[in-house]
Amino acid sequence: MSQNIELLLSISSMQNNILKTLDRHLSVHGISFSEFLVMYRLSLVSNRTVRRIDLAESVGMSASGITRLLNPMEKLKLVEKEQNPRDARVSFVKLSDVGFDLLNDAIKSVQHATDSLFKSLDTNDIELFLKLINKIR
């Protein structure tokens, strides 16, 4: 087997382990890592509002995938849908106050999970790892 394939399989295995760990830590908040990621991205933009298609792109999902993820989040009042008054084809998603509060609690759980996941790495290891990841993005 080539080194590239071994690297790919190792990255995939690592990603699965990380996602399982994060989902387990986030389950106490009633959200998945995908939902956390959406709320986190929304928290970073002005007015906590972004076009639905831009949100999908920023979290690596398709337009239909983000819609399937957001629908239950809207029912739970974590996010709100806003229509563009000038263009009905464009819709916006806003992180609600309820979602923002939940996100702040969830961030503590994610921090705890990442502390555990990366406890064997020192600051230099993490900097190098980030540098290598950014090389292949």
Side-chain angles (χ1 to χ4, degrees):
M1 187 171 4
S2 79
Q3 277 188 315
N4 287 345
I5 293 174
E6 285 185 44
L7 177 61
L8 175 67
L9 295 175
S10 292
I11 290 170
S12 178
S13 176
M14 179 185 62
Q15 178 187 15
N16 288 334
N17 180 48
I18 290 170
L19 291 177
K20 282 179 189 176
T21 300
L22 289 170
D23 278 337
R24 190 173 59 252
H25 279 81
L26 289 168
S27 68
V28 299
H29 303 285
I31 60 172
S32 67
F33 179 67
S34 295
E35 292 164 324
F36 171 84
L37 185 56
V38 162
M39 291 190 297
Y40 185 78
R41 295 281 187 202
L42 286 169
S43 75
L44 298 177
V45 296
S46 67
N47 297 330
R48 301 189 309 222
T49 305
V50 70
R51 289 185 330 156
R52 189 176 288 250
I53 193 69
D54 293 335
L55 178 61
E57 187 176 307
S58 76
V59 297
M61 297 182 79
S62 65
S64 61
I66 198 73
T67 297
R68 284 190 302 275
L69 183 67
L70 290 173
N71 283 339
M73 293 177 73
E74 287 175 35
K75 289 178 184 171
L76 295 171
K77 310 263 189 253
L78 301 176
V79 296
E80 300 165 354
K81 188 186 310 183
E82 294 184 356
Q83 294 296 327
N84 184 338
R86 289 184 231 144
D87 188 347
R89 297 168 297 174
V90 177
S91 63
F92 292 90
V93 181
K94 179 177 183 168
L95 182 62
S96 69
D97 291 339
V98 171
F100 188 74
D101 291 342
L102 178 66
L103 173 66
N104 284 325
D105 289 338
I107 285 173
K108 295 171 190 157
S109 294
V110 169
Q111 184 64 56
H112 179 72
T114 57
D115 288 348
S116 175
L117 281 165
F118 306 128
K119 66 183 172 201
S120 64
L121 303 176
D122 64 24
T123 303
N124 292 332
D125 292 333
I126 292 171
E127 286 176 13
L128 176 60
F129 195 41
L130 287 170
K131 184 178 177 181
L132 293 170
I133 289 171
N134 287 323
K135 276 183 144 180
I136 59 174
R137 267 194 197 188

